[in-house]
Amino acid sequence: MNRAVRSSILAGAVVAVLGVSSVAVAGGRPDLVLRDLGAGKAHRAGELIVKFRDGVDADQRGAVRGGLRAQQARTVHRGRNGGDVELMRLPAGMALGVAIKALQNDPAVEYAEPNWTYQHFATSNDTYYTNGSLWGMYGNTTSPSNAYGSQAAEAWAAGHTDCSNVYVGVIDEGIYYNHEDLAANVWTNPYDPVDGIDNDGNGYVDDVHGWDFEGGGNDVNSGGSNDDHGTHVSGTIAGVGGNGKGVAGVCWSGVKLISGRFLGRRGGSTADAIEAVDYMTDLKVRHNMNIVATNNSWGGGGFSQALQDAIGRAGDADILFIAAAGNDAYDNDARASYPSNYSNANIIAVASITSSGALSSFSQWGATTVDLGAPGSAIYSTVPVRSKGNVVSGYASYSGTSMATPHVTGAAALYASSHPTATAAQIKAAILNATVATPSLQGKVLTGGRLDASGF
């Protein structure tokens, strides 16, 4: 029996078992999901994310699984009154598109979508970039100077180097938390000491520096020297300044980085990304931590209502979601790039510029969907490297909208530290209103300009 025939039979079985004689209005955006699936957007084979409607009980959820002959992998987000988001594994031979269409009219299901996969938006050039050219931090009047830098050094010159009581989530690969230029600025969880017990009841045992959602454990550097991307963006946000070593991040000191590791050797999945976003939101709500923003230097896959909802929950908690525009040099207004293209008000989408102020050759853009540009070409920052069998501190130059994004995240933290009552909306407005008009960005990004943190 060929796959198409078998899928058709299974779809009929789904409808018969679920008894979808009463039609419910589907939620989410099945049109976008099926479009992106048809376009071949990367996803985890045989995995389906299902959002149940509020009021659906365990028996009804079991009936949906039974109709698909699917197995529950895990609950990705526990909703109110039964409206959970669940990851399922489909039986061999059932096409995702068939399953999604079969569930569109089921009264127990709000929406169903693939478990998309994501990759970071960075490319490596010189592995060890040793000339000390940290141009992304420079300002017009600093020494050295570069008008197209983030102007963070102008803020430092005015005495603003301390971002105390500000937390930032790094949703990415892991962080090499023992790095000589990062260790002082990595969060250590005071609510859950390492004792094998989930002391704060958030479902994560001994989440000392955050959580590894890809690996399912508390070691946020489980990738060792492969966690270079997450460590690199961390250094741009919070490399320790004034210590005579390596680099300085936009926030020299005080700021604390929380790792939400969800990118691994195979990239990352929607389900893991949702859990990472929700983890940061829960920390803020549960402990009243001043988590200002998450840095999201990754993308790929297709439209996900489940991920957009998680970003919305972060927005409800007053957390900015700062996202890379993408590295495939196309117009995001014409072709959506997720997650930066979601319409949530708490998103800031970032393009990349070079040290001469040009739009980086790889950078995506969008006059209405990308907000501003920031330094992203040949950016020098922290990485883990392997030496004599050990992981040790290193530095490297990478390029990408991945590198532009943490300049903006660092700026958000810098602004929040000097404006402690500012809301997420006010921080976003301050960043966008302070941009400097830049010819290469005119008609390419919403503000027509580049990041300027000099007054933060």
Side-chain angles (χ1 to χ4, degrees), residues 181-377:
D181 238 359
L182 284 176
N185 289 338
V186 173
W187 176 66
T188 297
N189 187 351
Y191 309 106
D192 194 0
V194 180
D195 58 4
I197 300 170
D198 179 17
N199 293 278
D200 64 355
N202 68 350
Y204 302 101
V205 177
D206 298 346
D207 48 326
V208 59
H209 299 304
W211 195 256
D212 176 7
F213 296 92
E214 189 262 347
N218 69 346
D219 182 4
V220 300
N221 188 210
S222 64
S225 59
N226 291 318
D227 282 333
D228 57 320
H229 185 269
T231 303
H232 196 283
V233 302
S234 296
T236 297
I237 298 167
V240 176
N243 64 351
K245 298 175 182 178
V247 300
V250 177
C251 284
W252 276 27
S253 63
V255 67
K256 296 301 179 186
L257 303 176
I258 307 168
S259 178
R261 184 184 187 276
F262 92 106
L263 294 176
R265 290 179 179 272
R266 295 191 303 154
S269 73
T270 302
D272 290 342
I274 291 166
E275 291 189 329
V277 174
D278 281 339
Y279 174 78
M280 303 298 173
T281 303
D282 179 74
L283 282 177
K284 181 165 190 176
V285 172
R286 183 183 297 266
H287 300 301
N288 198 31
M289 293 168 58
N290 188 28
I291 300 176
V292 169
T294 60
N295 190 88
N296 302 275
S297 292
W298 47 273
F303 177 86
S304 168
Q305 187 66 58
L307 179 56
Q308 185 175 24
D309 288 347
I311 296 169
R313 290 189 289 272
D316 291 341
D318 232 22
I319 300 174
L320 290 169
F321 185 95
I322 303 177
N327 285 1
D328 289 326
Y330 64 74
D331 183 353
N332 289 0
D333 286 4
R335 178 157 50 118
S337 177
Y338 301 112
S340 69
N341 261 70
Y342 291 123
S343 58
N344 304 61
N346 60 320
I347 292 178
I348 300 177
V350 187
S352 172
I353 61 170
T354 70
S355 60
S356 63
L359 181 70
S360 299
S361 61
F362 52 77
S363 182
Q364 289 164 221
W365 69 89
T368 64
T369 54
V370 180
D371 293 298
L372 78 168
S377 289

Side-chain angles (χ1 to χ4, degrees), residues 176-184 231 381-384 392-395:
Y176 175 44
Y177 49 82
N178 288 324
H179 196 288
E180 62 181 5
D181 238 359
L182 284 176
T231 303
S381 189
T382 49
V383 294
V392 299
S393 301
Y395 301 89

